[in-house]
Amino acid sequence: MRILLLILLSLANIACSQKIENQSAVTQTIPHFDATVYQLINLFNKKNFKGINQYINKDIGLFIVYNGSTSPTMRRIEQFKSNNKITENTISSWVEDELLGVTISGNPKIQYAQYPPFDPCSEKVNKLGLYANPKEKNIEALKIALDYYHWELKHYQFEKRPIWEKHQSIADKIASKTVKVVYIENFPDTLPDDEKNIFIFYLTQLDNKWYLTILDFYTMDCSA
């Protein structure tokens, strides 16, 4: 009987140790990630685009993906401009309005879980909050725009644009190092089934530092 108890205690200790190791592994896979997310949230809330520029890698740049009237498109910027005109003239003005309207209330805890499904047109969302899933490293928004570009080349035989080939090269470089961050919340003073406040951005780890690499205004656009 004593031997049986010792065996059971031993197994319990092993299980507990494995659980602690697994929990540690989750945090160790993305060092400094949380801090970067919260620093960027603070900067976006304050409309401090000069501060955000510190999180844009000069070689990678920042890709802004959005609905270009009838199709997904993207623009790459090296930095935000002044607070009066923060993006290039080639980017739709409504995108700049969205950037200036970004508001993340409170201090939501990052939930490392599967991203909640949502339909921006029906505005029905099962879960709210701030989500990141390091197991699903991807560049979904950027891939949508690039895939559409390649589809156009195939079906309309457009001349290849060198700048998009460069974008594809950068996308290939960052794909396996990028984590999507999704924020979904109700707007203040609105009903639960009303339009949601949705903000999606991507962080890429390069040289042990996390950089802001993609802003996604496409997948949360009902007209897309």
Side-chain angles (χ1 to χ4, degrees):
M1 185 67 178
R2 185 177 179 183
I3 295 175
L4 180 59
L5 286 172
L6 288 172
I7 292 173
L8 290 173
L9 284 171
S10 177
L11 290 173
N13 287 332
I14 291 172
C16 184
S17 298
Q18 289 178 337
K19 183 178 181 180
I20 292 172
E21 288 175 2
N22 290 336
Q23 289 174 342
S24 299
V26 170
T27 58
Q28 288 173 3
T29 54
I30 46 174
H32 312 303
F33 183 85
D34 292 47
T36 303
V37 169
Y38 289 122
Q39 286 161 5
L40 281 169
I41 286 175
N42 182 52
L43 291 168
F44 272 111
N45 279 336
K46 293 181 177 179
K47 320 305 175 198
N48 184 350
F49 293 97
K50 183 177 180 180
I52 294 171
N53 283 339
Q54 299 176 26
Y55 291 90
I56 300 176
N57 182 280
K58 60 182 180 65
D59 296 321
I60 301 300
L62 173 63
F63 290 91
I64 302 176
V65 184
Y66 60 96
N67 183 23
S69 70
T70 58
S71 60
T73 190
M74 65 178 175
R75 293 291 183 270
R76 175 183 175 272
I77 64 173
E78 294 183 355
Q79 283 194 329
F80 286 112
K81 294 186 175 183
S82 67
N83 288 340
N84 294 327
K85 181 65 180 175
I86 57 177
T87 58
E88 307 291 341
N89 291 327
T90 56
I91 297 177
S92 299
S93 60
W94 72 264
V95 175
E96 186 160 302
D97 291 340
E98 288 286 345
L99 278 168
L100 290 170
V102 170
T103 301
I104 298 180
S105 58
N107 190 26
K109 181 179 179 181
I110 301 173
Q111 301 180 59
Y112 289 105
Q114 188 173 5
Y115 302 105
F118 68 89
D119 181 348
C121 294
S122 69
E123 296 165 358
K124 291 183 178 179
V125 183
N126 294 326
K127 297 179 181 179
L128 303 177
L130 184 63
Y131 291 85
N133 189 353
K135 293 181 180 179
E136 294 185 22
K137 292 188 176 180
N138 64 73
I139 51 169
E140 178 187 16
L142 191 54
K143 189 175 184 300
I144 288 173
L146 285 165
D147 284 351
Y148 186 80
Y149 166 70
H150 290 298
W151 181 88
E152 284 185 321
L153 289 178
K154 180 180 179 181
H155 288 81
Y156 295 104
Q157 298 181 342
F158 290 154
E159 183 179 351
K160 286 189 176 181
R161 286 171 282 177
I163 189 66
W164 279 69
E165 297 302 302
K166 180 181 179 181
H167 293 348
Q168 181 67 66
S169 176
I170 294 174
D172 293 340
K173 178 180 179 180
I174 69 174
S176 63
K177 307 170 185 177
T178 301
V179 177
K180 179 171 67 172
V181 180
V182 178
Y183 173 73
I184 306 175
E185 195 54 80
N186 292 316
F187 282 109
D189 303 321
T190 59
L191 296 172
D193 291 335
D194 287 347
E195 181 183 359
K196 296 291 182 286
N197 178 14
I198 303 173
F199 183 46
I200 304 172
F201 60 97
Y202 294 68
L203 299 182
T204 301
Q205 189 177 36
L206 300 167
D207 300 324
N208 296 318
K209 180 178 178 180
W210 289 94
Y211 291 95
L212 177 66
T213 49
I214 307 171
L215 290 175
D216 176 12
F217 294 107
Y218 180 78
T219 57
M220 46 76 74
D221 181 5
C222 183
S223 62

